[in-house]
Amino acid sequence: MKPLVAACLGLSVSLTGCGGGIAPSADQRPVPLDAILNQMKCELALSFTRLDPNKLRFDGWFIDGQMTAKIITSDHVEGSLGTPQLVPLGSGGAGISFGFSASATRSRTLTQVIDFAVSPIAVSTDVCNHPRAPSVRNVEGLGVYEWLHTITQTAEGQPRMAVTHLSYTLDFGVKRVGSGGFDVVVEPIKLTSAANASRDDTQQLVLTFTPGEKAQQSVKRALSTSGAAQVITTPDGGTTVIFNVPPGAGQGILSNDVTMPEAKQIRELQ
């Protein structure tokens, strides 16, 4: 099982395209929504287990996400009626129907917005070893792991740097490729907001990583007053790393605004 393939990357990104026009999907069958969400889980698991913890780790952080999906409502598409199916690249403006197979035509679409939280914990990458959906083996091009990995490539040495907020926004389309269409490619696209809203074959994934406002303020104070190596640890075990500093090189106390029961529940999500 291939966990991922590189996509467009950035440190703090609004990823809306790697190139020019939008190439339509030759295989016009839709793509299950869970294929994209399962690929996201795989790439986050890779991030939590493989990234250099001396440069980037998410102990005690909050990870919020939002998926905006264009879903086919026809009851003739593949899969059960309860399986959300994404419109493949190739449809133009909203309401324009086209064939998905010899016997399936989209009747209309709806927009689903899914807000979610992700636990910043993974002890293995077992989630990457399974098909992404019943009809999908692999998903390529989501780019979450590559983006986070790129951040950890920052060079050692002063001035010190610490990540206090990360935001990843990907506007994309999906299409099946390969023999039998069992592989899916995520294609970043570049559209204006108005054009994006008017299409029914574009999706959006947003991920926001943050240690909390008070944690951000404390890190900024620490960086502004000292060039010394330090790892700032919150009272409840959260950590913000100043790049290229081994754990234990220096400890500072960082007050944290995470006290609500709802926040604790988010951290305990599995």
Side-chain angles (χ1 to χ4, degrees):
M1 190 66 57
K2 296 182 294 183
L4 46 93
V5 166
C8 299
L9 302 175
L11 177 60
S12 179
V13 295
S14 177
L15 255 178
T16 54
C18 300
I22 301 173
S25 177
D27 186 329
Q28 295 184 337
R29 288 178 297 157
V31 173
L33 171 61
D34 52 320
I36 303 302
L37 296 178
N38 284 332
Q39 179 65 20
M40 178 197 71
K41 289 187 65 175
C42 169
E43 297 194 20
L44 288 174
L46 288 168
S47 301
F48 301 152
T49 57
R50 295 186 180 179
L51 293 179
D52 185 346
N54 293 333
K55 297 182 179 180
L56 189 63
R57 62 182 183 266
F58 299 104
D59 301 340
W61 283 48
F62 298 98
I63 304 176
D64 295 312
Q66 184 180 84
M67 177 76 183
T68 302
K70 307 294 178 62
I71 302 297
I72 304 162
T73 60
S74 169
D75 59 1
H76 298 295
V77 298
E78 292 183 355
S80 67
L81 295 181
T83 302
Q85 303 277 339
L86 301 177
V87 179
L89 274 174
S91 173
I96 300 177
S97 297
F98 65 101
F100 292 120
S101 67
S103 60
T105 300
R106 173 173 53 83
S107 58
R108 64 186 187 279
T109 65
L110 59 86
T111 300
Q112 289 187 356
V113 179
I114 306 168
D115 291 303
F116 56 89
V118 181
S119 168
I121 300 169
V123 297
S124 74
T125 57
D126 288 348
V127 68
C128 297
N129 298 330
H130 306 288
R132 300 300 179 256
S135 63
V136 177
R137 289 177 303 203
N138 301 297
V139 175
E140 300 180 350
L142 199 59
V144 177
Y145 174 72
E146 289 92 341
W147 167 60
L148 292 171
H149 181 265
T150 297
I151 296 171
T152 67
Q153 301 309 296
T154 303
E156 297 184 16
Q158 294 181 339
R160 297 297 182 185
M161 173 181 170
V163 172
T164 59
H165 181 90
L166 294 170
S167 180
Y168 185 86
T169 300
L170 176 66
D171 294 306
F172 65 97
V174 292
K175 54 186 179 182
R176 292 177 180 266
V177 297
S179 177
F182 290 109
D183 296 325
V184 168
V185 169
V186 171
E187 184 169 316
I189 59 178
K190 184 177 181 62
L191 291 172
T192 65
S193 297
N196 193 39
S198 68
R199 296 184 67 93
D200 57 5
D201 60 351
T202 59
Q203 327 296 330
Q204 185 183 76
L205 175 66
V206 179
L207 291 173
T208 302
F209 302 69
T210 178
E213 183 177 354
K214 290 185 178 180
Q216 294 172 351
Q217 294 172 352
S218 296
V219 169
K220 291 177 181 178
R221 286 196 298 270
L223 287 172
S224 68
T225 59
S226 174
Q230 54 189 306
V231 176
I232 302 175
T233 304
T234 65
D236 57 356
T239 302
T240 300
V241 180
I242 298 179
F243 278 20
N244 301 296
V245 178
Q251 297 292 330
I253 298 301
L254 179 64
S255 61
N256 197 315
D257 57 349
V258 181
T259 56
M260 297 183 299
E262 294 87 353
K264 294 181 179 179
Q265 291 175 5
I266 291 175
R267 292 184 177 179
E268 294 170 358
L269 287 175
Q270 298 297 325

